[in-house]
Amino acid sequence: MDLGIRGKKAIVCASSRGLGRGCATALAEAGCDLVVNGRDAAILAKTAEEFRSRFGVTVTEVVGDVSTPDIQEALLKACPAPDILVNNNGGPPLRDFRELTRDNMLEGVTQNMITPIELIKAVIDTMAEKEFGRIVNITSLSVYQPIPGLDLSSGARAGLTAFLAGVARTVAAKNVTINNILPGKFDTDRIRTTIRFSAEKSGESEEAAAHKAAQVIPAKRLGSAEEFGKACAFLCSSHAGYITGQNLVLDGGLYTSAF
Ligand SMILES: NC(=O)c1ccc[n+]([C@@H]2O[C@H](COP(=O)([O-])OP(=O)(O)OC[C@H]3O[C@@H](n4cnc5c(N)ncnc54)[C@H](OP(=O)(O)O)[C@@H]3O)[C@@H](O)[C@H]2O)c1
């Protein structure tokens, strides 16, 4: 399907690896020019070069922590009027909530709630003026289904979801949409770290631990960043203008619910 976004400009935050990279790949394949971001300059440069050579699109790299005002400014300088914004970031590490300091909590809320809101504030009016805008936030299945130890991440992302539910309705008439994608378990570096950790603890191989993790998922496998990216690109497409304020769960059936 032609997604109808060839030549559109997209900022994809935290996109040198993993799910963000999956989104950037699918948008580049659809013909979007990209601003990509990550803290490791070498990995980001390699990713950007791959997009240029595979898809022939223009790719600008912005190296640094997307949660900081400087890097947000650099992203917007590289692309002052994006048609598409994909908000992504790292998340707080697994930690018992009793151990969280006030600074930890402020950092978590900054990463997973304030940062996307700041970027949306900066781009939404121009999107509305142009009568085209697509904003996708990568959140987590933990917004629906708590994961002990990821309470800060879940809380900040749930806050973002509620905050944007109202905002989405204020720009819907201008063909600007805001949606969230909630990943379950995707095979990225982040999930591999968790799998390696449990493999070390139980003394089994990494592959055995990965297999075990997949068995609790009705699809019996981890998701791939590629399929995640394609769903994101559809939400960013010209065909998705009537989908807004939604939470798309991508989890192979892991979240058990009829509605
Ligand atoms: N994978 C899953 O199954 C899953 C499930 C639920 C939720 N999530 C959430 O989805 C998001 C992406 O996860 P992932 O699995 O793709 O992680 P990942 O494989 O670790 O990739 C994270 C990407 O974000 C970049 N990044 C991290 N912190 C950043 C920062 N402060 N500023 C700029 N770039 C940053 C990383 O590059 P650098 O390290 O070079 O900065 C990398 O490109 C995370 O918030 C995660 O909590 C993932």
Side-chain angles (χ1 to χ4, degrees):
M1 186 199 287
D2 182 346
L3 296 183
I5 48 175
R6 185 161 297 283
K8 298 280 189 204
K9 295 183 188 336
I11 297 178
V12 187
C13 303
S15 49
S16 58
R17 295 181 285 115
L19 302 180
R21 181 192 161 112
C23 297
T25 306
L27 290 171
E29 193 173 14
C32 296
D33 292 325
L34 299 178
V35 175
V36 292
N37 157 251
R39 292 162 302 175
D40 184 310
I43 295 176
L44 186 66
K46 198 164 166 241
T47 298
E49 192 43 45
E50 190 188 316
F51 293 155
R52 290 183 197 105
S53 62
R54 266 180 79 189
F55 305 114
V57 294
T58 302
V59 185
T60 309
E61 297 149 46
V62 173
V63 179
D65 182 348
V66 66
S67 315
T68 62
D70 285 1
I71 298 305
Q72 290 181 20
E73 207 176 291
L75 288 166
L76 295 164
K77 198 170 167 212
C79 185
D83 304 290
I84 294 166
L85 168 66
V86 179
N87 279 312
N88 186 32
N89 202 340
L94 204 72
R95 191 177 292 165
D96 186 294
F97 86 94
R98 292 170 193 80
E99 292 169 14
L100 294 170
T101 63
R102 187 186 188 114
D103 283 348
N104 295 151
M105 288 191 267
L106 289 174
E107 193 187 338
V109 171
T110 301
Q111 283 183 324
N112 294 140
M113 180 176 173
I114 295 175
T115 296
I117 293 170
E118 284 175 336
L119 286 168
I120 291 170
K121 268 178 63 186
V123 303
I124 201 165
D125 289 337
T126 313
M127 286 179 171
E129 274 162 32
K130 291 195 293 182
E131 301 206 356
F132 184 94
R134 298 285 184 265
I135 297 168
V136 173
N137 307 294
I138 300 180
T139 63
S140 174
L141 182 59
S142 72
V143 168
Y144 280 1
Q145 184 169 275
I147 302 173
L150 284 182
D151 314 284
L152 176 56
S153 162
S154 310
R157 295 177 204 266
L160 175 70
T161 305
F163 190 109
L164 295 177
V167 174
R169 273 72 186 180
T170 67
V171 289
K174 296 289 182 187
N175 190 26
V176 176
T177 67
I178 306 179
N179 292 293
N180 309 303
I181 307 186
L182 287 62
K185 287 180 195 286
F186 280 79
D187 198 351
T188 62
D189 292 347
R190 182 178 169 95
I191 284 284
R192 282 279 156 186
T193 307
T194 316
I195 288 171
R196 267 195 297 277
F197 180 71
S198 67
E200 271 164 31
K201 258 177 64 178
S202 64
E204 59 198 344
S205 71
E206 183 180 329
E207 275 326 297
H211 181 74
K212 205 192 269 174
Q215 290 319 296
V216 299
I217 304 168
K220 302 293 179 209
R221 65 178 178 86
L222 302 175
S224 75
E226 289 70 26
E227 63 192 330
F228 186 94
K230 290 203 190 284
C232 173
F234 178 75
L235 287 178
C236 296
S237 75
S238 63
H239 313 300
Y242 211 52
I243 305 174
T244 196
Q246 299 303 304
N247 290 290
L248 176 62
V249 176
L250 297 185
D251 70 345
L254 181 60
Y255 180 60
T256 305
S257 151
F259 298 100

